[in-house]
Amino acid sequence: MPHAFLLVALIGSALGFTFAAVSSYDFIAHLDRQVHGLHCSFLPGLGGTEAGESGCHTTMMSPYSSVLRDSVWGGVPITLPAMAVFAFLLFWGILIWQSPRVHDTRATGFFTIASLLPVVASLGMATIAIRELDAFCKLCVGIYVASTMTAVGAFGSYLRAQRTAHEASRPNLSRGALGLAFGLGCLVVLTSAAAYALSAPDFTRFVGSCGKLDKPADPQHALITIGRGSPTVLEVLDPLCPSCRAFEKRFARLELSKRARRELLLFPLDNSCNWMVDRALHPGACAVSEALLCAGDRVQEVLAWAFEEQDTIVAEERAQAGSAGQLARRKFPFLASCLGSSKARAKLNASLRWAVANKLPVLTPQLYADGTRLCDADTDLGLDYMITRLSGVR
């Protein structure tokens, strides 16, 4: 039986591996271009699954959940190297126990230093979750706790080895052996990442497979233009659509979004102005769309406000019709003379007729790069990969 500190380190390593494995499984399950629920439970298999807007969903769909997204479909999930690190720590802890090396200050010291890697990574990811995502994933929190347990247990094992070094029946590990151990740990992590990247799905065949714009010309100036770069990226959105808000956050973090010519087509899913829907899926979307069409150079500011206050705007519009327009006027007084005017209604009507002319599906969000549509299944984990290739399709 290992001593208490080593036992804590072993349990922490095992838990960290388990949580990272379940998180990796959820990530990989989403790579088939289908919709899946998330386990999102401290105990794998318990607590059911969840989909849609949640801490786990927000975290996984963020650009911080994986690396190399431009070159690998969905990218390599960061939980994969985390699995490898925890597996190595578990292996090293068992080696200390079974060798036995519990009195070896070099072996336990190396264990302590190695255990700091997931702690530093956890601190970094927790900071991103707080500052950038404003969301926490339960499995991620489990990894943070497991990392702390492993580091505390490893450090305790090192302190105990210092006190009991005189009881050692064999000399400490040589520096050469520790160097080999470090190399082995690096090899485990790199091999797992490389093997995953090589086996990741290749969905290049779907690039450009979801159609093109029939009549991309805009003689009525129905589109709102932001930027003057290349390629031309058209976003079809409803300013009160939660999925549009989530998509905009993901797209805005792409390097392509900073150099592209961005065009917005407003498509409010609100039957007070849109004859293509039979009910107001997002009440107040027509008024907010008019506000955007009236905003001129401040369109991004108004859009950011609409996304930020979506829940409030919809709730107040449901309670009293016309509240969305009042909120917009109160926030942006310069819109007062334009919002609700015949000119604004005509602009919004031109937007909707442009959608009809191009036979756009009645849904939001949609994205077109140089007139070629991004498939709906590719607007989450495959966004970076697909849009990079889609922007080259003619």
Side-chain angles (χ1 to χ4, degrees):
M1 182 73 179
H3 61 76
F5 282 117
L6 186 56
L7 183 60
V8 168
L10 292 173
I11 293 175
S13 299
L15 286 175
F17 177 84
T18 302
F19 290 136
V22 174
S23 184
S24 297
Y25 170 81
D26 270 334
F27 186 95
I28 293 169
H30 279 72
L31 298 181
D32 61 358
R33 306 176 82 245
Q34 302 295 321
V35 176
H36 299 270
L38 301 177
H39 287 86
C40 202
S41 172
F42 286 114
L43 297 176
L46 298 182
T49 61
E50 54 183 89
E53 292 294 321
S54 70
C56 291
H57 187 272
T58 299
T59 302
M60 188 179 74
M61 293 302 170
S62 78
Y64 307 106
S65 66
S66 61
V67 297
L68 302 176
R69 287 194 174 197
D70 287 345
S71 53
V72 178
W73 173 262
V76 178
I78 60 172
T79 50
L80 189 70
M83 282 177 59
V85 169
F86 280 117
F88 177 78
L89 290 172
L90 182 60
F91 160 76
W92 193 256
I94 293 174
L95 189 66
I96 289 174
W97 170 31
Q98 294 293 330
S99 299
R101 289 284 178 180
V102 291
H103 308 301
D104 189 329
T105 55
R106 285 185 180 174
T108 53
F110 175 78
F111 191 29
T112 301
I113 294 173
S115 70
L116 293 178
L117 178 58
V119 171
V120 172
S122 294
L123 287 173
M125 295 307 298
T127 300
I128 290 173
I130 295 171
R131 293 186 176 181
E132 300 291 333
L133 305 179
D134 193 25
F136 270 105
C137 164
K138 293 178 183 178
L139 288 171
C140 299
V141 172
I143 293 175
Y144 305 159
V145 173
S147 300
T148 303
M149 286 179 61
T150 304
V152 169
F155 184 60
S157 297
Y158 171 69
L159 293 179
R160 185 177 184 277
Q162 281 190 318
R163 293 195 305 269
T164 62
H166 63 280
E167 300 176 17
S169 58
R170 63 182 71 184
N172 286 340
L173 284 175
S174 66
R175 289 186 174 85
L178 293 178
L180 288 174
F182 175 78
L184 176 62
C186 293
L187 183 63
V188 169
V189 173
L190 293 175
T191 300
S192 63
Y196 177 90
L198 292 172
S199 61
D202 180 8
F203 290 141
T204 308
R205 65 185 182 278
F206 292 108
V207 175
S209 65
C210 289
K212 293 177 177 289
L213 294 172
D214 285 352
K215 299 178 181 179
D218 182 26
Q220 300 298 320
H221 303 290
L223 307 179
I224 298 173
T225 302
I226 303 173
R228 292 291 185 273
S230 178
T232 297
V233 176
L234 169 68
E235 297 172 65
V236 181
L237 61 84
D238 176 333
L240 298 185
C241 161
S243 296
C244 296
R245 176 178 58 190
F247 175 80
E248 177 67 18
K249 287 181 179 179
R250 291 196 297 273
F251 181 70
R253 293 189 177 105
L254 297 182
E255 182 61 32
L256 181 111
S257 71
K258 300 174 179 61
R259 59 181 172 82
R261 171 190 170 92
R262 296 182 63 187
E263 295 179 336
L264 305 181
L265 176 70
L266 297 172
F267 195 82
L269 299 178
D270 180 353
N271 64 347
S272 66
C273 66
N274 188 343
W275 65 89
M276 288 173 272
V277 295
D278 58 5
R279 60 191 176 90
L281 297 177
H282 305 134
C286 290
V288 177
S289 295
E290 286 186 14
L292 288 166
L293 290 166
C294 293
D297 293 340
R298 298 179 65 180
V299 63
Q300 289 179 286
E301 182 183 352
V302 177
L303 182 60
W305 166 78
F307 281 153
E308 182 68 25
E309 300 295 331
Q310 274 185 357
D311 295 339
T312 300
I313 296 170
V314 170
E316 296 208 13
E317 181 69 23
R318 288 188 191 279
Q320 183 175 352
S323 295
Q326 293 174 12
L327 289 171
R329 292 186 188 92
R330 192 180 308 147
K331 179 66 177 180
F332 304 101
F334 74 93
L335 296 176
S337 62
C338 178
L339 190 59
S341 67
S342 58
K343 180 180 178 181
R345 288 195 294 270
K347 281 187 174 182
L348 183 54
N349 190 55
S351 298
L352 296 173
R353 291 194 178 281
W354 193 92
V356 171
N358 282 279
K359 302 176 183 177
L360 300 189
V362 182
L363 60 86
T364 57
Q366 299 176 54
L367 185 140
Y368 295 78
D370 286 337
T372 302
R373 186 167 183 254
L374 179 75
C375 297
D376 299 329
D378 303 326
T379 58
D380 45 41
L381 289 176
L383 179 60
D384 307 55
Y385 181 92
M386 275 300 190
I387 201 170
T388 299
R389 289 153 181 77
L390 191 63
S391 60
V393 174
R394 295 294 185 273

